[in-house]
Amino acid sequence: YKSAGVFQTQAEIDALNAQAVARYGAGASYQTGAVPGDRKFVDINGDAQVTGDDRVSLGSPIPKIFGGLNLDATYKAFDFNVFFYGVSGNKILNYQKASLESFGGLQNISLEYYLNRWTPGKPGNNRYTRITNRDNNDNNRPSDVYAENGSYVRLRNVQIGYTLPSNLLSRLSITRLRLFVSAQNL
């Protein structure tokens, strides 16, 4: 679903419900059970109701671009290698955010949500909904509120090495000895 902020007043809800009643008759509702502080969803198909037909594609979880970059450098007896990997052009649904918002009452919510939520005394917030343990309006249904850019670049491998001088190793009958430190997924 595509969100359109948070209902601020009952008058806003009543106006949308009046449109639904005008189109479909008595008992019709734009968003069933909505009250001020609930999330407002967009009526995509224009039928004056928010239903399953109003769902949209918010993007693909499959990246459009995959890539990597491997860099090698040497200086005298030292060597250095890094490998970066990344993806771009995908969306991910971070539905964990829903559980940190009003889902299930006060025991699970995040401090950010609690401090910035919509309240009758602090209207105007169009990001966080009211706190409720009965989500009649499906404030936490999968929507663009939880869709995030999935692009990233990750430093996969780093390796720093030192090759000991051959004149030190010749006494030990060793032709080459290299010491290195390596780290992955930094």
Side-chain angles (χ1 to χ4, degrees):
Y1 293 90
K2 192 157 180 57
S3 66
V6 174
F7 286 116
Q8 300 298 315
T9 64
Q10 187 61 45
E12 183 181 3
I13 297 166
D14 293 343
L16 289 170
N17 284 337
Q19 291 176 7
V21 168
R23 183 164 183 155
Y24 292 103
S29 175
Y30 176 78
Q31 249 176 262
T32 306
V35 298
D38 281 345
R39 184 159 286 121
K40 179 178 18 174
F41 295 102
V42 177
D43 174 23
I44 299 294
N45 63 3
D47 66 356
Q49 297 181 62
V50 175
T51 64
D53 295 334
D54 295 306
R55 292 178 292 188
V56 295
S57 173
L58 298 172
S60 172
I62 300 169
K64 293 178 181 157
I65 300 171
F66 298 84
L69 179 64
N70 194 23
L71 300 171
D72 285 313
T74 57
Y75 178 73
K76 296 186 180 181
F78 291 95
D79 60 90
F80 178 72
N81 174 274
V82 291
F83 175 60
F84 293 94
Y85 176 78
V87 300
S88 180
N90 62 322
K91 295 283 187 175
I92 56 172
L93 186 65
N94 185 353
Y95 206 53
Q96 181 179 5
K97 281 184 179 179
S99 67
L100 296 176
E101 293 180 8
S102 65
F103 204 71
L106 290 172
Q107 68 270 18
N108 293 329
I109 65 173
S110 70
L111 182 60
E112 176 189 352
Y113 171 76
Y114 182 76
L115 295 174
N116 298 309
R117 73 196 185 285
W118 183 95
T119 63
K122 189 175 63 173
N125 182 336
N126 270 318
R127 170 60 180 97
Y128 296 114
T129 60
R130 66 191 174 96
I131 289 180
T132 178
N133 61 358
R134 301 182 85 200
D135 196 5
N136 295 332
N137 190 40
D138 289 333
N139 287 325
N140 299 347
R141 72 175 87 176
S143 69
D144 61 344
V145 172
Y146 307 114
E148 297 179 348
N149 182 350
S151 302
Y152 68 88
V153 174
R154 174 180 296 151
L155 178 55
R156 273 266 174 97
N157 296 320
V158 174
Q159 189 174 94
I160 300 170
Y162 179 75
T163 303
L164 293 170
S166 58
N167 59 354
L168 282 173
L169 300 174
S170 62
R171 295 180 201 153
L172 301 172
S173 299
I174 298 174
T175 56
R176 185 168 188 239
L177 182 62
R178 179 176 173 264
L179 304 172
F180 68 91
V181 176
S182 179
Q184 295 180 342
N185 291 324
L186 294 173

